Amino acid sequence: MNFQPKALFFDWDHTLWDHDLNAREVLLDLAVEYELDIEPDSYWSTFEKINNGLWDQYAAGEISQAELREIRFVRFFEEVGIQGPAQEFGDKYLSRAPRKTNLMPGAFDLIQDLAEHFPLYILTNGFDDIQYVKIEGAGMRSFFKEIITSQQVGTKKPNPQFFHYALSRAGIEAHEALMIGDHVEADVRGALQVGIPAIHYNPFSVETDLPHEIQHLDELRALLKNR
């Protein structure tokens, strides 16, 4: 199927910005700095489990931004059996991780190319103070018409209000947009429920029942008829 959108909506973390690689690099650097006796793969998988769980709770409205930041590394230290300054560790992580610039394969060239043909928007549940640093650091701010965050909207994907807000900012109808994101519920089902066509970016080939998916960002070009 070919899409003919008037604007493209992109998720940021895990879709364009390689969250896992960036976070892992920072965590391993901090482990060395704090002289932590850890096994790298177990250390990372524990953080990933805790962090993803907290973000799911945040997306569901069960915890606040402040609570997520406050308890993330307390739980992490407890889980891996580390005695240490969890708050200080967490503050350093928050300072350093957004300044990492690893992108998903093909992301920069794709966005640079598409920006010449479409108005592009970031739709993210991430926090303002973090996301702007990431996007600027990656050298991609100039490619996007607007960065739309959950803090700006006052609600999070997949809430329909978030997508209606994005449509109003872009000045288009739902069928005239196209959403591209990695998260099945927040990005894809959230967009589909308000009539926005959506493509699941699925680099790890997770099995879903979604109608449209790509495993590599370069595949998007072939799906855009008016590219």
Side-chain angles (χ1 to χ4, degrees):
M1 176 178 180
N2 286 329
F3 297 89
Q4 301 182 58
K6 290 185 178 180
L8 298 177
F9 295 162
F10 281 92
D11 175 52
W12 179 249
D13 291 315
H14 302 282
T15 299
L16 298 177
W17 193 75
D18 194 335
H19 173 277
D20 290 354
L21 179 56
N22 292 316
R24 185 183 177 105
E25 286 182 355
V26 172
L27 287 172
L28 291 175
D29 287 346
L30 286 170
V32 172
E33 183 176 327
Y34 280 81
E35 300 180 341
L36 304 181
D37 182 17
I38 53 96
E39 194 284 311
D41 288 340
S42 175
Y43 175 75
W44 165 249
S45 64
T46 299
F47 172 79
E48 188 176 31
K49 178 185 70 174
I50 291 171
N51 192 53
N52 289 346
L54 289 172
W55 271 96
D56 286 344
Q57 286 184 270
Y58 173 73
E62 297 171 3
I63 60 173
S64 67
Q65 171 187 349
E67 288 171 321
L68 189 156
R69 291 179 171 180
E70 180 180 347
I71 64 180
R72 174 166 49 189
F73 284 98
V74 171
R75 288 190 183 177
F76 176 60
F77 273 34
E78 290 174 350
E79 186 75 17
V80 297
I82 295 172
Q83 297 294 323
Q87 187 63 53
E88 178 182 285
F89 191 98
D91 288 345
K92 288 186 177 182
Y93 171 83
L94 278 175
S95 174
R96 298 179 191 182
R99 291 170 172 79
K100 288 285 186 175
T101 58
N102 296 300
L103 298 172
M104 301 302 290
F108 189 92
D109 289 343
L110 175 72
I111 295 301
Q112 184 177 43
D113 180 13
L114 293 180
E116 298 180 3
H117 303 276
F118 302 93
L120 308 181
Y121 295 80
I122 292 291
L123 275 60
T124 174
N125 282 349
F127 309 130
D128 290 2
D129 60 339
I130 299 296
Q131 299 302 70
Y132 282 94
V133 173
K134 291 177 181 177
I135 297 167
E136 291 282 359
M140 297 176 76
R141 178 64 186 93
S142 63
F143 299 141
F144 295 99
K145 297 281 289 184
E146 192 167 348
I147 300 165
I148 299 174
T149 71
S150 55
Q151 285 181 284
Q152 176 184 342
V153 181
T155 190
K156 313 173 194 70
K157 298 177 294 182
N159 190 309
Q161 183 183 338
F162 190 107
F163 292 97
H164 288 309
Y165 180 91
L167 291 169
S168 71
R169 297 298 300 174
I172 57 176
E173 300 295 323
H175 69 277
E176 296 174 321
L178 177 63
M179 177 75 205
I180 303 98
D182 74 290
H183 199 286
V184 171
E185 297 300 329
D187 298 324
V188 183
R189 296 198 198 282
L192 292 173
Q193 71 177 330
V194 298
I196 298 174
I199 296 174
H200 181 213
Y201 173 51
N202 188 12
F204 303 110
S205 300
V206 177
E207 187 174 349
T208 75
D209 61 351
L210 297 171
H212 306 291
E213 72 171 34
I214 55 175
Q215 279 72 50
H216 195 286
L217 290 171
D218 285 343
E219 297 173 52
L220 184 59
R221 290 185 175 89
L223 298 177
L224 297 171
K225 189 173 182 179
N226 53 340
R227 150 66 174 77

